[in-house]
Amino acid sequence: MLARPQLAILALLLTVTPTFAGKKLKVTIIEREGTQSSYTGVIPGRTTAVSNGSANCTANGNSANCYGTSTTRQVSTPARRVGYDVQGATFSLLLPDGRVAVVNCESKYAMRGDYVNRRSCRVPLTNEIEAEFNGDKAKLRWTVSIDGKKTESETYKVLAVFDKQ
């Protein structure tokens, strides 16, 4: 039986998976967290504004009378604290359709024959990356060479997908 937070995550994952399953998407990292201890993440806020204006002028000889109007509509969404207690590298990814996916990667088990059997997750240094979603996994890829031919990748777990604001 799944707990309520797990059911909510599952419902959110079902909204991202059919749309982007198996597709390579250009995404932007809009927030980064990395820690070896637990924390709660924050989805950053955002503000959008649309302005419309008009002017009307009439001329009479050497003079002109003008009047105008302007309206601005602004929508602000405050930052939200998300209730995830995770470890490792966590990113908020801005998807092409405006939604935000939160992904996390904990250190990986790596059989080596020595006493060190864990490695840290690979983390992109750039904010413009490629992501491929498959179920509750997101494979992140980024360029690490000047000519763009060499890439690195890491698989992250999708924690949540938030609707666009």
Side-chain angles (χ1 to χ4, degrees):
M1 181 124 217
L2 295 174
R4 282 188 185 198
Q6 292 170 323
L7 288 173
I9 291 170
L10 181 61
L12 289 169
L13 289 175
L14 292 175
T15 64
V16 75
T17 303
T19 307
F20 295 135
K23 294 181 183 175
K24 294 179 181 177
L25 306 168
K26 298 289 184 188
V27 299
T28 302
I29 298 173
I30 57 175
E31 185 174 357
R32 297 169 176 262
E33 293 288 338
T35 182
Q36 293 303 315
S37 60
S38 299
Y39 65 89
T40 302
V42 175
I43 300 295
R46 67 180 199 200
T47 300
T48 56
V50 176
S51 295
N52 293 313
S54 64
N56 192 3
C57 294
T58 57
N60 187 9
N62 290 337
S63 65
N65 291 327
C66 295
Y67 66 92
T69 61
S70 175
T71 58
T72 299
R73 183 176 158 252
Q74 179 174 318
V75 177
S76 295
T77 304
R80 311 184 296 246
R81 183 169 302 279
V82 292
Y84 296 104
D85 194 28
V86 294
Q87 295 181 10
T90 302
F91 301 133
S92 296
L93 305 175
L94 180 62
L95 303 177
D97 66 358
R99 293 184 292 170
V100 175
V102 179
V103 297
N104 173 260
C105 181
E106 289 191 42
S107 61
K108 307 281 185 180
Y109 179 79
M111 183 63 117
R112 290 200 178 125
D114 60 9
Y115 68 92
V116 180
N117 288 328
R118 296 198 79 72
R119 71 162 177 83
S120 295
C121 294
R122 287 185 283 279
V123 176
L125 297 177
T126 181
N127 289 333
E128 303 300 322
I129 62 172
E130 180 180 88
E132 183 176 351
F133 293 91
N134 188 5
D136 68 343
K137 304 288 186 225
K139 185 166 191 167
L140 307 183
R141 288 186 187 88
W142 58 95
T143 303
V144 294
S145 65
I146 293 177
D147 63 4
K149 293 181 181 178
K150 174 98 171 107
T151 62
E152 287 284 338
S153 68
E154 187 69 77
T155 301
Y156 283 66
K157 180 172 179 49
V158 178
L159 299 178
V161 180
F162 294 95
D163 288 333
K164 58 185 170 183
Q165 303 301 316

